[in-house]
Every structure is written in structure tokens, then in C-alpha cells.
Amino acid sequence: MYNRFALIAAIVTIAIIPAAAQSVSGHGLGGDQAPPISFSGMEVTVRTDLTPSDITIGDIDDINMKVRFFDTLTDTTLEKVTYRIEMWHSGELLARNLFYDPDGQLDVEIRPNPDCDEAQLRQCTTYGGSEHVSSPGALFVYGEPCNDDNYDICARPTITGPIFEKGGLYHVRVDIEGATSPRVQLAERLSYDTFVSIAQEQNFAIQTAHAEEVPVIIKTYYDEVENFAFDESDNSISFDMEFDWTPDYVDLVQVVHEEIRVPKNFVPYAEGKQFKGYVNGVEVDQRALLNDPYSYDDTNVVHFLITNSELQKISESMEDDRFESKNMNLKLVPIEEADVSSVEFYLVDLETMQEKAPTTVTVEWDGQYGAGDEIPFEFTFLDPNKKLIKDIWYGYIVSDESGSQIAEFSGNDPLNPGIASPEGIDVQNVLIPSEGLIRVDVIVYGTGLDYDPTYSGIGSGLIEIGPGAPAGGTAPGGADEPAPNTEAAAEIPSWIKTNAGWWAEGAIDDATFVSGIQYLIQSGVLAVPATGSDSAGPDDGTTGGAAPAEIPPWIKTNAGWWAEGAIDDESFVSGLQYLIKEGIIRVT
């Protein structure tokens, strides 16, 4: 039987985020943070963030770019910083200028302007601001400092030109010319490379043999797409874009992100389909393909999220002349429809371990996998409106029925925990050695490079693995509750719900509430599987045995939520059913 609290204690040990958790380096939605450099006893780095974070060409004409210079060890922003900012796209320099900021957090307004007839695009770029008296040549604007809520009125320099007017990956190179004091120049510049993605939507159409025209949208976060093609022999979609395969450049690129949208009523790409992906003829890891049926009611979205490690693998597998290639070909191929099983559960607050967090987790897997397989589990994170939670950082532990750990992963940086999931969907391959129940504990550390705690929490789900198609269950609030053979009646007597509320508030004792559960069983409202025991702990003379000496507090929390209507009958009853089955509450 699972020891819930031991497992939660185990996962909480990886949940402790250091005070300087923001030292994480990596690419997020609309932002990037460079690896730190040692300087004067500190580990200093630069973070570049765009507001809004998810920008599509044509939708936004006023973009804020925030560049922060700080010590990752203490999360302290260095003051009086002179920045040299360069902005590049597709290997071409678009802007270069000096800027000064007294508090070390530079805000620059970017004004895209596509009108440029110059051979060198940077010649069309103009800059707004005044030269700072203490930092010659560096632009600064006197006035109200910027924050997330006042970009319309705060004082910030501007860059106007052919920037962010095409989709793709933009290289923002930041050189620190001086810090702490505007008159102090560093012996050597501190140079950082960061990358931000701007999306561009391109419209295409599939022409089928039946003269049907199926609209397809490709949202590219890297570069413009060309040579779109549909092959009816395997229903594959393919397209090209420019890409530099030289090792130095590949080392810098954190991720290449492409998004393919196809109507759900187009059968080869209908909801529930699985896919294989190829880049330059090399099959990518299943984790690089994310299927999103949540964002649109009538459209499926398939994400290519090709990470740096995957790019390295592809580069190494290409021919010796790969460095001369300036092309990336992406191909998406539907495969046979999967027998998808899933478990869904919500998270509870990390501190109280009782209050419900605004996060629901769904874990899905293909029924063709079973014991002895490395199973690709797809983790999806949804908010209360069933929308994907973007830019999430999470970890998981998988344990067998005895409580022994099968797998655990919380990212590759022990000081900055979390697996990055930019789109709120992620696939992790886990080797499951044997049949039976497994438990998946999930922790969400936060969202964004700042680990915003809004959606953080912890919860658990149970999965039954067999030699063939497994079956899943749900575990609201971290409760252990598999779904098979669970039947909640359409109507549960109102007094049971009233008792549950009173019990949650402490107005009635455990034995009284258990007697209500007994009534559910005797009335056929709750179908209880055999428990192997007909006792309920020490006999106190009540019919069917007494309540156990100690009932975990999370059960009372669930009872309170059920009484308030926060969870439905089936969810609550299925939870109680499993608790009875496992002997946490035992009744005759």
C-alpha cells in the first residue's frame, strides 16, 4: 500500500527552491537568460525579457525589452550599468547602441518599422533618448522608472527600425561596459548572448484527392517558412526554413519552435492522433513533438520543440558537408491512432498541503505500451479555464505499488529545479519494469524565469500498467483513486453531503462520518472492491467497526470541497472507494 506522506516528503525534498532560484539560465517564452560569468566574487548574468511575452507579427506595435544585469548568487541587481546592445536576425545586424540605467534594469521601447530601402538594415534604425552625463554616448531618459504596469507613461529610450517586423529568433547580444559606477569601465567587457522568439503566422492549404482544400497555419518562432508540401501517400506535412548548422551557432540556439495548426475534422490530423517528426531526414525524439487539442475548439496544434541537445544530435548525424547546408527541413507524419489512457488530478498548495491550487495536471500515455517498455508520458498543465499554463517548471517522481522509486526527474540543474515546459505540455520517457499500479507525483515550482508561484503545487495520480492497454484513474488533490469500476450514483442523499461538510469543519467525529460511508455502501451508491479485511480498526462497538485511529487531513479537505460543490460526486466517491480498498478507511 502506498504511503502518501512518505512520497510527498520525498518530492518536497526536491521542491525547495533556493533563494536565488532566478539564477536559472535558459530560454523561456519571450525571454532568455545567459550563463553567468565570474566577476568580483559574484556570478553575474544578463536576462532579456519581452513584454508581451508571446508576440505575433502584426499584432503588436509597441514592445518593451527589459535587460537586467544581476548576481545570480544573491539575486541582486547591479546598479549604474552601461550596456552595449546589439540586435541580430538571420545573421544581419539590425541595431547597435549604448544605453545607461541607474538601477541596472534597462527598459527599452522597441518600435518595429518595416520600411527600409538601405542595403544594410541597421542604417534604417534610429534611437530615442538623451546622452547620460556620466556615461558618454549612452542613451538615458529621465522620468518615472518602468514597471510591468506603467509602460505607457514610464521613461525609457527607444529603438525604431526593422526589428521584430519579421518572425523568427532574434539574437540580443549584451556587453556590459561598466557597472556599479558609470565612470568605472571594466578591464574586459562582459559579453552575453540571449535569444528571443517572435512568432509569424503563414497560411497554407492542403489539396486532397477529393478536391478538398484544408487550411493549415504554421506559426514559426524561428524563421520564415517556405516549400510547404503535403504528401497524400503518408499524409505528411513538410516545409523548409533557413538554419545555420555550424557548431558555434548550434551551440547558441536553445530551441527551435514551430507550430502546425490543422482542423480537427481533417481525419489524418484528428484529435487523438500521434505523430512522428523528422528534421533533415533524422527522426526526432518523441519529446520534441507536442500535440495540443486544448488551445482551439476546432483545431489541433502540433508543436515541434527542438531543443539544443536534439539539434546537436541531428547535426552530428548529417553528412560531412552539413556545415555548408543553410536549410532545415521539418516533416510531420501521422501514425496509427493511439489507444490513449489518461489520469487527471489537481494540485494542492505546497505550504498547507490542503488548499487547492489553480492547476490541473493530465498525464496521458499510449495503450500500446506496457510493462518493460519505456513509456512516453505526456504531462499537460491546465488552469481553471482548461487553458494551457505556459512557461511552466515542474518535476515528477514515479513509484511502484510498494512505494519504491522507479524514476525521478526535476531538471538538470540542482540549484534551479524544474523541467521547462514552454507550452504547458511535455513528454517524458519512463522505463516501467513491471505490471501493476504506479504512482506519479508531480510538483510545479512556478512559471517563467522568475518562478512565479501562482500555479505552483503538488499532486498525485495512479496508473495501472499491464502487458497491454493500461487503465488510468484520477487523484484529486493528490488523493489515491483509480477510476476502474468506480460508479457514483446520479444522486447522493443531501444529508451525506451535509455530514461531509460538518466533518470537514470538525462538527462531527470520524466514526459518525464513516457510518455515513457505510450507508452509501449498503445502499449501493458506492461499489467497494474487496479489501481483504472486514474490520475498520479497533472495535468500538459500532456496527461495522469504528473509524481508524487517524484519518489523513487531506481526506477532510476533499470532503469540505465536495460539500461546497468544488468537486463532483464521482470524484469524491472514487477517492473514498480507493481509500477503502487500500484499508485507509475499512468498513464491513
Side-chain angles (χ1 to χ4, degrees):
M1 184 177 67
Y2 286 102
N3 184 326
R4 177 178 189 271
F5 294 101
L7 285 172
I8 285 183
I11 200 168
V12 166
T13 61
I14 64 171
I16 301 172
I17 302 175
Q22 293 87 346
S23 66
V24 60
S25 61
H27 186 79
L29 189 64
D32 195 17
Q33 183 169 307
I37 297 173
S38 297
F39 168 68
S40 296
M42 299 179 287
E43 293 293 322
V44 291
T45 193
V46 160
R47 179 186 301 165
T48 303
D49 287 295
L50 300 182
T51 302
S53 59
D54 191 356
I55 299 169
T56 301
I57 296 302
D59 292 349
I60 305 293
D61 55 13
D62 183 353
I63 301 164
N64 189 78
M65 183 174 71
K66 180 186 296 180
V67 183
R68 182 187 176 214
F69 181 51
F70 65 103
D71 176 19
T72 63
L73 299 178
T74 62
D75 194 31
T76 301
T77 303
L78 278 71
E79 298 181 346
K80 302 176 181 178
V81 181
T82 301
Y83 297 90
R84 180 184 297 275
I85 305 293
E86 293 182 358
M87 303 187 71
W88 299 74
H89 181 252
S90 297
E92 183 167 9
L93 179 64
L94 305 178
R96 176 191 287 146
N97 213 75
L98 290 172
F99 298 89
Y100 173 77
D101 196 271
D103 63 9
Q105 184 166 286
L106 172 69
D107 287 278
V108 180
E109 180 184 353
I110 307 295
R111 298 173 178 173
N113 183 2
D115 299 327
C116 183
D117 296 325
E118 299 291 341
Q120 295 180 324
L121 293 178
R122 68 176 179 273
Q123 294 177 345
C124 294
T125 302
T126 60
Y127 307 90
S130 303
E131 184 173 321
H132 194 274
V133 63
S134 300
S135 186
L139 295 180
F140 176 75
V141 176
Y142 292 91
E144 184 174 346
C146 293
N147 57 55
D148 292 341
D149 300 319
N150 73 343
Y151 290 132
D152 56 336
I153 60 172
C154 70
R156 51 183 174 156
T158 62
I159 301 176
T160 303
I163 302 165
F164 299 161
E165 50 87 23
K166 288 185 178 180
L169 194 68
Y170 284 76
H171 178 187
V172 183
R173 181 180 175 88
V174 181
D175 293 329
I176 305 299
E177 300 274 349
T180 304
S181 168
R183 293 192 174 89
V184 174
Q185 299 297 310
L186 304 179
E188 295 183 4
R189 290 179 183 171
L190 301 179
S191 297
Y192 300 92
D193 294 292
T194 62
F195 294 83
V196 292
S197 295
I198 303 296
Q200 177 178 347
E201 293 183 358
Q202 295 179 244
N203 296 301
F204 301 95
I206 292 173
Q207 298 290 341
T208 69
H210 305 289
E212 178 188 10
E213 187 174 278
V214 180
V216 176
I217 296 174
I218 295 182
K219 186 174 182 179
T220 175
Y221 291 83
Y222 186 81
D223 208 340
E224 190 166 306
V225 166
E226 56 186 15
N227 300 327
F228 176 88
F230 175 73
D231 186 343
E232 203 157 6
S233 67
D234 60 0
N235 295 312
S236 64
I237 289 174
S238 63
F239 52 90
D240 297 332
M241 63 186 180
E242 289 189 7
F243 187 79
D244 184 353
W245 287 101
T246 57
D248 288 346
Y249 184 75
V250 171
D251 285 346
L252 292 174
V253 179
Q254 293 292 321
V255 65
V256 173
H257 183 186
E258 303 298 308
E259 181 180 301
I260 304 168
R261 301 182 198 164
V262 184
K264 290 180 179 179
N265 60 10
F266 182 51
V267 175
Y269 285 75
E271 188 169 349
K273 285 290 186 181
Q274 299 294 306
F275 302 90
K276 286 187 178 181
Y278 299 85
V279 173
N280 288 27
V282 179
E283 185 175 351
V284 298
D285 190 286
Q286 190 68 27
R287 287 172 289 183
L289 292 178
L290 304 177
N291 197 2
D292 168 17
Y294 305 97
S295 295
Y296 302 92
D297 292 336
D298 57 356
T299 304
N300 268 330
V301 182
V302 181
H303 298 269
F304 266 96
L305 277 174
I306 310 164
T307 62
N308 179 264
S309 60
E310 197 74 7
L311 290 170
Q312 301 272 8
K313 183 189 78 173
I314 295 165
S315 176
E316 292 169 2
S317 67
M318 293 167 63
E319 300 295 331
D320 291 339
D321 63 351
R322 66 187 183 276
F323 303 148
E324 299 177 9
S325 172
K326 300 298 181 183
N327 181 68
M328 177 182 286
N329 173 264
L330 296 97
K331 184 176 182 179
L332 184 66
V333 184
I335 57 178
E336 67 276 3
E337 192 162 343
D339 178 18
V340 177
S341 297
S342 67
V343 56
E344 181 177 296
F345 49 93
Y346 57 71
L347 304 186
V348 294
D349 181 79
L350 283 170
E351 294 184 3
T352 66
M353 305 299 278
Q354 292 186 7
E355 294 179 11
K356 188 177 179 181
T359 308
T360 298
V361 180
T362 300
V363 183
E364 292 187 348
W365 67 101
D366 190 336
Q368 69 175 310
Y369 296 98
D373 292 332
E374 189 172 59
I375 302 179
F377 290 104
E378 182 176 274
F379 295 82
T380 302
F381 302 89
L382 301 169
D383 68 14
N385 296 317
K386 294 298 181 182
K387 299 296 184 183
L388 290 167
I389 302 170
K390 303 295 184 85
D391 237 3
I392 208 160
W393 297 85
Y394 80 101
Y396 67 86
I397 290 177
V398 179
S399 305
D400 64 19
E401 199 164 0
S402 68
S404 299
Q405 192 175 116
I406 296 172
E408 178 269 322
F409 190 49
S410 194
N412 295 314
D413 187 347
L415 297 178
N416 301 284
I419 306 164
S421 178
E423 292 299 322
I425 306 174
D426 188 54
V427 176
Q428 293 289 318
N429 297 330
V430 180
L431 177 62
I432 305 298
S434 58
E435 298 179 41
L437 285 175
I438 63 169
R439 178 177 182 130
V440 181
D441 293 278
V442 174
I443 181 168
V444 169
Y445 299 103
T447 55
L449 295 175
D450 285 320
Y451 286 95
D452 185 314
T454 300
Y455 296 101
S456 62
I458 188 171
S460 306
L462 285 169
I463 294 170
E464 187 172 351
I465 300 296
T474 60
D480 298 320
E481 50 177 83
N485 302 320
T486 299
E487 295 182 359
E491 293 185 8
I492 293 179
S494 59
W495 65 265
I496 293 291
K497 216 171 241 195
T498 302
N499 274 16
W502 288 341
W503 181 53
E505 296 168 359
I508 62 174
D509 59 21
D510 293 351
T512 302
F513 183 71
V514 167
S515 69
I517 300 304
Q518 287 177 306
Y519 174 85
L520 291 178
I521 299 166
Q522 293 161 1
S523 302
V525 175
L526 174 61
V528 183
T531 63
S533 172
D534 59 359
S535 67
D539 190 1
D540 67 350
T542 61
T543 303
E550 181 179 350
I551 295 180
W554 59 269
I555 301 177
K556 282 191 177 182
T557 300
N558 272 14
W561 286 338
W562 179 53
E564 295 168 359
I567 61 176
D568 60 20
D569 294 350
E570 185 174 355
S571 297
F572 181 65
V573 169
S574 61
L576 291 177
Q577 183 187 44
Y578 186 72
L579 295 178
I580 294 167
K581 176 184 175 184
E582 291 298 315
I584 298 173
I585 297 176
R586 288 178 289 172
V587 289
T588 55

